[in-house]
Each structure stands twice: as structure tokens, then as C-alpha cells.
């Protein structure tokens, strides 16, 4: 009589003592590990049921456990006896999902902060997909993380995380990828959601599917997704390495970004009532203040130069220079301007939508960018405020095709879906 996967003869009680051995013939080499995992999982399942019911497991238990073993074989992961839970127990399942949610929150910081992946918490054949690539193994997923960190400087922001179903966790995030090797250093920005499939019995992540806000077709691979990446890679807009207002991207679409700006100090001057949308009235006054026309010291130039348009009220439109963040948040700490036309103030933060364009901004380009941005916001159900800001990032010596310009509009009551 041939031997089974254990040491006893086929059909006899194996050393697992769970029942007659599940394998009545010697397994083929490529089946041996799977069969061994199956036998161990059956033994663990029966042992747990004995503890819970204080009864001997019968054939029905064996059949039920074998069904769950098939899922474990598919997921390609294993766990110690202490990590296995009874998925029919609602309290245990909810506790397991809460625990994995907390793990994921810390894990995402480890992955994009230090590049480390906690292999023991993933199924060996976990499936990953986004609109550009897909992998059917944990090794493939880790390769993807390493490739991103090699080619780009990665900044990842987790905006929200929650349990989305009995075995699914959903995250909302934004991510920027600044190229390390392309000479114009494009900064690719993505926002979207990740859907994690969880093997609750063993506490492992069995799958991850990423969905991007900027495209409609989120299959993998998606022609639309690939085109979205190529467009960002080939957009040549230089951003000077100067201090600038801090913001976090909340959402990235094809037409615009939604940003959360922190408050920042500015030097400000009024613009004449007949100022053109792309006019430069006030620039000389502000530059004079920054470069020594004040009570104390010369300050460093920052970016962008901001001018407002369509503002209502007595004082009308303005031009602003952001002040270096090292001066803090109190405008009274800034040097007093020698020119009475220049004032110091704190510009309150808020949520703004931004759309960008290159070249030397002309009046019609600014008004057209504002029109398109308002139309896109309206289509997406966002309430835009009156007025706009024009942000110019580059000095006059930057070639026009390398310049970065933006039109920004404040948004009321924005909520992430």
C-alpha cells in the first residue's frame, strides 16, 4: 500500500489525528506543499471547533474546513494556529478587520516612507492591479514598489481609510512622483482609491485594486491610464527651488487639482481698477520691499507671484509675494515696508481648485483658463467662489515653453467622496 503525505499507510489515521488522511496516494512533487498546508489547516480548524463546542468533530466539520482550505490554497498564505479565527463569528471577524485596518494605516507609511513591505501580512499570490500594471504575486507587488522608489521621489498622503465590506478595506489617497532621471523632473500627481481584499480567517491581504480619479477606464492595462501617465511625463514646466505656500492635493482630475492650502504670510499691494488679467502692476513695489526696501533686511525671493482677478469690494484686486516660511505666522514679525503701498498680512488657507498652462500668460489665456476651470467644477458638482488667482512661478529669464502658470479658484464645502 502506498504512503500518503504523512508517514502512515494510505487510508490510515495520519499523525495530524484529524481523520483518515485526505490524500490516499503519494502526492506529486508540485502538489506536496499544497497538500501539506491543507492537512495542517484542517487540523487547526478541527482543533478550534473542539475548543468552542467541547465536542468531537465529525465528517461535516471536515467537509466545511476543507472548503475553507481551498480558499487558503488559492490565497497562497499560511498562518500560525493563534492567528486563525472562525469567520462565522461576527465579533471575531469585525475585530480582525479593525486590526488589519490599523495595520494598513502604518504599513502604507512604511512602504512609501522606507520602502519596506511586511511580507508576512500578505498572501504569497496576492493580486495587485492599477490602470497601468498588474501582478499575480507578492513578489510582483514588491518589485512594483521598488521600481517606483528607484525611478521617482515618492510622496504619499493617506486621506482616509475604512472598512468597506465583510472582507474589503478602502483607502483614499493622493501620490506625487517626481522623476529622478528625466532632466526636466516632471512631477506626476495621482489621486484615487485602493480596494484591499482581506482573507479574514488568516488575517492576510489577498488583493489590492487601485482606481484613479482622473480616468474613466480603470481596467488593467488601460489605454486611458497609460496616456494619462505619458502626458504627465512629457509636460515640461519648471518649478523653481524656492520657498512657496504649502498645499496638499486632495483630488487630481484631467482638468484640475483640488488643493488644501495652509495659511502663509504675504507682502501685498493693491492693483489699479483697470489692471489686465495678466498685468504686472504692483510687481516693482513688492520686489522693492523684498530686496531691501524695509526696516531691517533683504529677504529671499519666493514663488509664485500671485495676482487676483474679479475680486469684489472697495480695494479690488491685489498682487502678493509669499514670504519665506521661516518668518512664522505673525505678520508683525516681518520688517516694516518703506513704501506705504505695501502691507503685510496673513493669507488664510483654504481649498482651491487649480489648472495649469505654460508660456507667457496672456490676458485671453487667463480668462479662458478661468472659464474652463469653472465649467469643469460645475460639471463635477463643486461650488466655486467669485474671483480667481493667477500664479506665475518663473522669473522673466525662463524660456516661455518651460514656464508654469496656474489659475486658482476657491471652492466652497468641498467633500471627498
Amino acid at each position: 500500500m502506498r504512503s500518503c503525505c504523512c508517514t502512515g499507510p494510505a487510508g490510515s489515521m495520519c499523525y495530524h489525528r484529524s481523520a483518515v488522511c485526505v490524500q490516499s496516494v503519494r502526492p506529486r512533487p508540485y502538489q506536496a506543499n499544497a497538500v501539506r498546508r491543507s492537512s495542517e489547516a484542517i487540523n487547526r480548524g478541527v482543533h478550534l471547533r473542539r475548543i468552542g463546542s467541547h465536542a468531537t468533530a465529525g465528517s461535516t466539520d471536515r467537509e466545511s474546513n476543507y472548503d475553507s482550505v481551498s480558499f487558503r490554497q488559492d490565497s497562497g498564505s499560511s498562518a500560525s494556529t493563534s492567528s486563525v479565527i472562525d469567520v462565522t463569528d461576527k465579533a471575531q471577524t469585525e475585530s480582525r478587520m479593525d486590526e488589519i485596518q490599523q495595520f494598513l494605516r502604518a504599513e502604507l507609511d512604511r512602504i512609501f516612507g522606507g520602502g519596506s513591505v511586511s511580507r508576512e501580512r500578505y498572501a504569497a499570490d496576492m493580486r495587485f492591479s492599477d490602470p497601468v500594471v498588474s501582478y499575480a504575486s507578492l513578489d510582483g507587488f514588491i518589485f512594483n514598489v521598488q521600481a517606483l522608489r528607484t525611478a521617482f521621489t515618492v510622496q504619499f498622503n493617506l486621506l482616509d481609510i475604512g472598512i468597506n465590506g465583510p472582507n474589503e478595506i478602502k483607502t483614499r489617497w493622493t501620490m506625487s512622483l517626481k522623476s529622478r532621471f528625466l532632466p526636466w523632473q516632471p512631477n506626476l500627481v495621482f489621486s484615487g482609491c485602493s480596494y484591499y481584499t482581506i482573507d479574514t480567517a488568516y488575517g492576510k491581504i489577498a488583493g489590492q485594486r487601485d482606481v484613479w480619479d482622473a480616468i474613466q477606464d480603470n481596467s488593467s492595462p488601460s489605454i486611458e491610464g497609460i496616456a494619462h501617465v505619458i502626458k504627465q511625463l512629457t509636460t515640461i514646466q519648471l518649478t523653481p527651488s524656492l520657498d512657496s505656500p504649502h498645499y496638499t492635493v486632495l483630488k487630481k482630475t484631467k482638468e484640475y487639482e483640488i488643493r488644501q492650502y495652509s495659511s502663509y504670510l504675504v507682502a501685498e499691494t493693491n492693483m489699479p481698477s483697470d489692471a489686465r488679467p495678466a498685468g504686472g502692476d504692483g510687481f516693482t513695489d513688492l520686489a522693492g520691499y523684498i530686496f531691501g526696501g524695509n526696516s531691517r533686511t533683504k529677504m529671499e525671493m519666493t514663488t509664485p507671484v500671485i495676482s487676483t482677478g474679479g475680486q469684489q469690494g472697495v480695494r479690488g484686486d491685489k498682487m502678493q509675494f509669499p514670504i519665506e516660511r521661516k518668518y512664522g505666522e505673525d505678520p508683525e514679525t516681518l520688517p516694516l515696508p518703506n513704501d506705504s503701498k505695501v502691507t503685510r498680512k496673513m493669507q488664510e488657507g483654504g481649498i482651491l481648485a487649480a489648472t495649469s498652462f505654460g508660456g507667457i500668460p496672456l490676458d485671453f489665456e487667463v480668462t479662458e483658463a478661468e472659464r474652463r476651470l469653472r465649467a469643469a467644477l460645475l460639471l463635477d458638482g463643486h461650488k466655486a467662489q467669485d474671483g480667481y488667482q493667477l500664479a506665475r512661478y518663473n522669473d522673466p529669464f525662463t524660456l516661455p515653453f518651460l514656464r508654469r502658470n496656474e489659475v486658482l479658484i476657491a471652492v466652497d464645502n468641498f467633500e471627498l467622496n
Side-chain angles (χ1 to χ4, degrees), residues 4 43 75 90 114 116 128 145 167 201 215 217 231 243 248 269 285 289 293 310 327 350 370 404:
C4 70
N43 181 49
S75 69
K90 183 178 179 181
S116 63
F128 170 84
V145 171
N167 66 332
I215 62 175
D217 179 12
K231 180 181 178 181
D243 209 342
T248 299
T269 189
D285 298 331
Y289 169 70
Y327 286 97
E370 182 200 8
R404 174 186 175 187

CSV table of all heavy atoms in Angstrom, one decimal, residues 4 43 75 90 114 116 128 145 167 201 215 217 231 243 248 269 285 289 293 310 327 350 370 404:
chain,number,residue,atom,x,y,z
A,4,CYS,N,0.8,8.0,2.2
A,4,CYS,CA,0.2,9.3,2.0
A,4,CYS,C,1.2,10.4,2.2
A,4,CYS,O,2.4,10.1,2.4
A,4,CYS,CB,-1.0,9.5,2.9
A,4,CYS,SG,-0.6,9.7,4.6
A,43,ASN,N,-6.5,20.3,10.4
A,43,ASN,CA,-6.2,20.0,11.8
A,43,ASN,C,-6.5,21.2,12.7
A,43,ASN,O,-7.1,21.1,13.7
A,43,ASN,CB,-4.7,19.6,11.9
A,43,ASN,CG,-4.4,19.3,13.4
A,43,ASN,OD1,-5.1,18.5,14.0
A,43,ASN,ND2,-3.3,19.8,13.9
A,75,SER,N,-5.2,31.5,-1.9
A,75,SER,CA,-4.5,32.7,-1.5
A,75,SER,C,-3.0,32.6,-1.3
A,75,SER,O,-2.3,33.5,-1.2
A,75,SER,CB,-5.1,33.2,-0.2
A,75,SER,OG,-4.8,32.4,0.9
A,90,LYS,N,-19.1,36.7,14.1
A,90,LYS,CA,-19.1,38.1,13.6
A,90,LYS,C,-18.2,39.0,14.5
A,90,LYS,O,-17.5,39.9,13.9
A,90,LYS,CB,-20.6,38.7,13.7
A,90,LYS,CG,-20.7,40.1,13.2
A,90,LYS,CD,-22.1,40.6,13.3
A,90,LYS,CE,-22.3,42.0,12.8
A,90,LYS,NZ,-23.7,42.5,12.9
A,114,GLY,N,9.9,54.2,3.8
A,114,GLY,CA,11.1,53.5,3.9
A,114,GLY,C,11.3,52.4,2.9
A,114,GLY,O,12.3,51.7,2.8
A,116,SER,N,9.8,49.4,2.9
A,116,SER,CA,9.7,48.1,3.4
A,116,SER,C,8.3,47.5,3.4
A,116,SER,O,7.3,48.3,3.6
A,116,SER,CB,10.2,48.0,4.9
A,116,SER,OG,9.4,48.8,5.7
A,128,PHE,N,-2.4,42.4,-7.5
A,128,PHE,CA,-2.3,43.8,-7.5
A,128,PHE,C,-2.6,44.3,-8.9
A,128,PHE,O,-2.1,43.7,-9.9
A,128,PHE,CB,-0.9,44.3,-7.0
A,128,PHE,CG,-0.8,45.8,-7.3
A,128,PHE,CD1,-1.2,46.7,-6.3
A,128,PHE,CD2,-0.2,46.3,-8.4
A,128,PHE,CE1,-1.1,48.1,-6.5
A,128,PHE,CE2,0.0,47.7,-8.6
A,128,PHE,CZ,-0.5,48.6,-7.7
A,145,VAL,N,6.8,48.3,-6.1
A,145,VAL,CA,7.1,49.4,-5.1
A,145,VAL,C,8.6,49.8,-5.2
A,145,VAL,O,8.9,51.0,-5.2
A,145,VAL,CB,6.9,48.8,-3.6
A,145,VAL,CG1,7.4,49.8,-2.6
A,145,VAL,CG2,5.4,48.6,-3.4
A,167,ASN,N,-15.1,41.7,3.8
A,167,ASN,CA,-13.7,41.4,3.6
A,167,ASN,C,-13.0,42.4,2.7
A,167,ASN,O,-12.1,42.0,2.0
A,167,ASN,CB,-13.6,40.0,3.1
A,167,ASN,CG,-14.1,39.9,1.7
A,167,ASN,OD1,-15.0,40.6,1.3
A,167,ASN,ND2,-13.5,38.9,0.9
A,201,ALA,N,-9.9,35.0,7.7
A,201,ALA,CA,-9.6,33.9,8.6
A,201,ALA,C,-8.1,33.9,9.0
A,201,ALA,O,-7.8,33.6,10.2
A,201,ALA,CB,-9.9,32.6,7.8
A,215,ILE,N,-9.3,59.2,-14.6
A,215,ILE,CA,-9.7,58.5,-15.8
A,215,ILE,C,-11.0,57.7,-15.6
A,215,ILE,O,-11.4,57.5,-14.4
A,215,ILE,CB,-8.6,57.5,-16.2
A,215,ILE,CG1,-8.4,56.5,-15.2
A,215,ILE,CG2,-7.3,58.2,-16.6
A,215,ILE,CD1,-7.4,55.4,-15.6
A,217,ASP,N,-11.7,54.7,-17.5
A,217,ASP,CA,-11.4,53.3,-17.7
A,217,ASP,C,-10.3,52.9,-16.8
A,217,ASP,O,-9.1,53.1,-17.0
A,217,ASP,CB,-11.0,53.0,-19.2
A,217,ASP,CG,-10.6,51.5,-19.4
A,217,ASP,OD1,-10.9,50.7,-18.5
A,217,ASP,OD2,-10.1,51.2,-20.5
A,231,LYS,N,1.3,61.7,-20.6
A,231,LYS,CA,1.0,63.2,-20.7
A,231,LYS,C,1.7,63.9,-19.6
A,231,LYS,O,2.4,65.0,-19.8
A,231,LYS,CB,-0.5,63.5,-20.6
A,231,LYS,CG,-0.8,65.0,-20.7
A,231,LYS,CD,-2.3,65.2,-20.6
A,231,LYS,CE,-2.6,66.7,-20.7
A,231,LYS,NZ,-4.0,67.0,-20.6
A,243,ASP,N,11.1,78.8,-1.8
A,243,ASP,CA,10.1,78.7,-0.8
A,243,ASP,C,8.7,79.0,-1.4
A,243,ASP,O,8.7,80.0,-2.2
A,243,ASP,CB,10.3,79.5,0.4
A,243,ASP,CG,9.8,78.9,1.7
A,243,ASP,OD1,8.9,78.1,1.6
A,243,ASP,OD2,10.2,79.3,2.8
A,248,THR,N,-1.6,70.5,0.1
A,248,THR,CA,-1.8,69.1,-0.1
A,248,THR,C,-2.8,68.9,-1.2
A,248,THR,O,-3.9,69.5,-1.1
A,248,THR,CB,-2.2,68.4,1.2
A,248,THR,OG1,-1.2,68.6,2.2
A,248,THR,CG2,-2.5,66.9,1.0
A,269,THR,N,0.1,94.4,-2.3
A,269,THR,CA,-0.2,95.8,-2.7
A,269,THR,C,-1.5,95.7,-3.6
A,269,THR,O,-1.8,94.7,-4.3
A,269,THR,CB,1.0,96.4,-3.5
A,269,THR,OG1,0.8,97.7,-3.7
A,269,THR,CG2,1.2,95.7,-4.8
A,285,ASP,N,6.8,97.4,-6.7
A,285,ASP,CA,6.6,97.8,-5.3
A,285,ASP,C,7.0,96.6,-4.4
A,285,ASP,O,7.7,96.8,-3.4
A,285,ASP,CB,5.2,98.2,-5.1
A,285,ASP,CG,4.8,99.5,-5.9
A,285,ASP,OD1,5.8,100.3,-6.2
A,285,ASP,OD2,3.7,99.6,-6.2
A,289,TYR,N,10.3,95.9,-1.7
A,289,TYR,CA,10.2,95.6,-0.3
A,289,TYR,C,11.0,94.3,0.1
A,289,TYR,O,11.8,94.3,1.0
A,289,TYR,CB,8.7,95.3,0.1
A,289,TYR,CG,8.5,94.7,1.5
A,289,TYR,CD1,8.8,95.4,2.6
A,289,TYR,CD2,8.1,93.3,1.6
A,289,TYR,CE1,8.6,94.8,3.9
A,289,TYR,CE2,7.9,92.8,2.8
A,289,TYR,CZ,8.2,93.5,4.0
A,289,TYR,OH,8.0,92.9,5.2
A,293,GLY,N,13.9,97.2,0.6
A,293,GLY,CA,13.1,98.4,0.9
A,293,GLY,C,12.2,98.3,2.1
A,293,GLY,O,11.0,98.4,2.1
A,310,GLY,N,-11.1,89.7,-10.6
A,310,GLY,CA,-12.6,89.6,-10.4
A,310,GLY,C,-13.0,89.7,-8.9
A,310,GLY,O,-14.0,89.3,-8.6
A,327,TYR,N,9.7,82.9,8.7
A,327,TYR,CA,9.3,84.0,9.4
A,327,TYR,C,8.0,83.7,10.3
A,327,TYR,O,7.5,84.6,11.0
A,327,TYR,CB,9.0,85.2,8.5
A,327,TYR,CG,10.2,85.8,8.0
A,327,TYR,CD1,10.7,85.5,6.7
A,327,TYR,CD2,10.9,86.8,8.8
A,327,TYR,CE1,11.9,86.1,6.3
A,327,TYR,CE2,12.1,87.4,8.3
A,327,TYR,CZ,12.6,87.0,7.0
A,327,TYR,OH,13.7,87.6,6.6
A,350,GLY,N,-7.1,77.5,2.7
A,350,GLY,CA,-8.4,77.1,2.2
A,350,GLY,C,-8.3,76.1,1.1
A,350,GLY,O,-7.2,75.6,0.8
A,370,GLU,N,-9.7,80.4,-16.7
A,370,GLU,CA,-10.8,80.5,-15.6
A,370,GLU,C,-12.1,79.9,-16.1
A,370,GLU,O,-12.8,79.2,-15.3
A,370,GLU,CB,-10.9,82.0,-15.2
A,370,GLU,CG,-11.9,82.2,-14.1
A,370,GLU,CD,-12.5,83.6,-14.1
A,370,GLU,OE1,-12.2,84.4,-15.0
A,370,GLU,OE2,-13.3,83.9,-13.1
A,404,ARG,N,5.6,77.7,-15.8
A,404,ARG,CA,4.5,77.1,-15.1
A,404,ARG,C,3.6,78.3,-14.6
A,404,ARG,O,4.0,79.1,-13.8
A,404,ARG,CB,4.9,76.3,-13.9
A,404,ARG,CG,3.7,75.8,-13.0
A,404,ARG,CD,4.2,75.1,-11.8
A,404,ARG,NE,3.1,74.7,-10.9
A,404,ARG,CZ,3.3,74.2,-9.7
A,404,ARG,NH1,4.5,74.0,-9.2
A,404,ARG,NH2,2.3,73.9,-8.9
